[in-house]
Amino acid sequence: MKYCPKCSAALVHKRIDGRERLCCSDTACGYVFWNNPVPVVAIVAETADGIVLAHPKLAPAGIFSVITGFLESGETPEHAAIRELKEELGLDAEAVAFIGVYAFEKANQVVMAYHIKTSGDIKLNEELDEYRVVAHEQLYRWTETGKFEVGEWLKRLNVFE
Ligand SMILES: [Zn+2]
């Protein structure tokens, strides 16, 4: 980002609250790009056979992870998780449990993770092209998920012991 979205003047670096920020060069405008993290929901979707990990079309080959998605305005995180589950995997939510909140600094996101017991048949949407259903006891060896919420949830199942 090079120009102010409010007044189109050039953006400059300024130190505010102890951090470098991109700010409008026109002090009368006063725009500051705070770059606050974006909230995201992550879903550990459980079927009768195990946890569903999916491969997004745009991701590198062989990378599978839990489903994630952005919230719509006016939507609770739990409803977003249930909606994403239906949209991306075609599954219905039968029981929903909150896992935790995680800072995903690399992507500038805050991840709110849910464990959802599901029903129905998996039907991938157009963003996904492949999936695996992994049993709990296999999942902890599945390093490619790269997802902290899976690790946290598995810890509670005590599969590491
Ligand atoms: Zn401006």
Side-chain angles (χ1 to χ4, degrees):
M1 194 155 69
K2 286 179 79 174
Y3 300 100
C4 176
K6 266 176 81 182
C7 75
S8 303
L11 293 174
V12 292
H13 287 276
K14 282 184 197 166
R15 201 163 177 83
I16 302 175
D17 295 343
R19 283 189 186 227
E20 284 287 314
R21 319 265 182 188
L22 273 177
C23 305
C24 186
S25 54
D26 180 351
T27 47
C29 167
Y31 173 80
V32 179
F33 177 55
W34 295 104
N35 198 24
N36 299 117
V38 175
V40 169
V41 290
I43 302 116
V44 177
E46 182 170 15
T47 70
D49 300 319
I51 301 304
V52 184
L53 301 176
H55 176 259
K57 272 181 190 163
L58 300 176
I63 300 292
F64 287 78
S65 82
V66 297
I67 298 303
T68 58
F70 298 110
L71 286 79
E72 303 281 8
S73 65
E75 189 178 47
T76 67
E78 186 171 317
H79 279 121
I82 293 167
R83 177 183 51 74
E84 288 288 340
L85 176 74
K86 185 69 177 175
E87 280 177 12
E88 299 204 14
L89 297 180
L91 294 171
D92 294 304
E94 295 300 328
V96 182
F98 180 61
I99 301 174
V101 178
Y102 307 92
F104 184 18
E105 289 155 32
K106 209 172 79 180
N108 197 27
Q109 293 175 343
V110 171
V111 179
M112 295 166 284
Y114 291 86
H115 169 219
I116 305 185
K117 289 196 171 160
T118 68
S119 64
D121 297 318
I122 295 172
K123 191 173 175 292
L124 301 181
N125 79 351
E126 69 287 347
E127 292 167 33
L128 305 167
D129 58 7
E130 211 182 331
Y131 71 92
R132 308 269 163 88
V133 179
V134 185
H136 300 165
E137 57 276 14
Q138 288 170 348
L139 192 57
Y140 76 95
R141 288 186 227 109
W142 193 286
T143 55
E144 291 94 359
T145 65
K147 290 285 181 174
F148 22 68
E149 60 274 2
V150 176
E152 182 67 33
W153 178 69
L154 286 168
K155 256 187 260 168
R156 291 182 204 180
L157 287 179
N158 294 322
V159 294
F160 294 116
E161 289 168 13

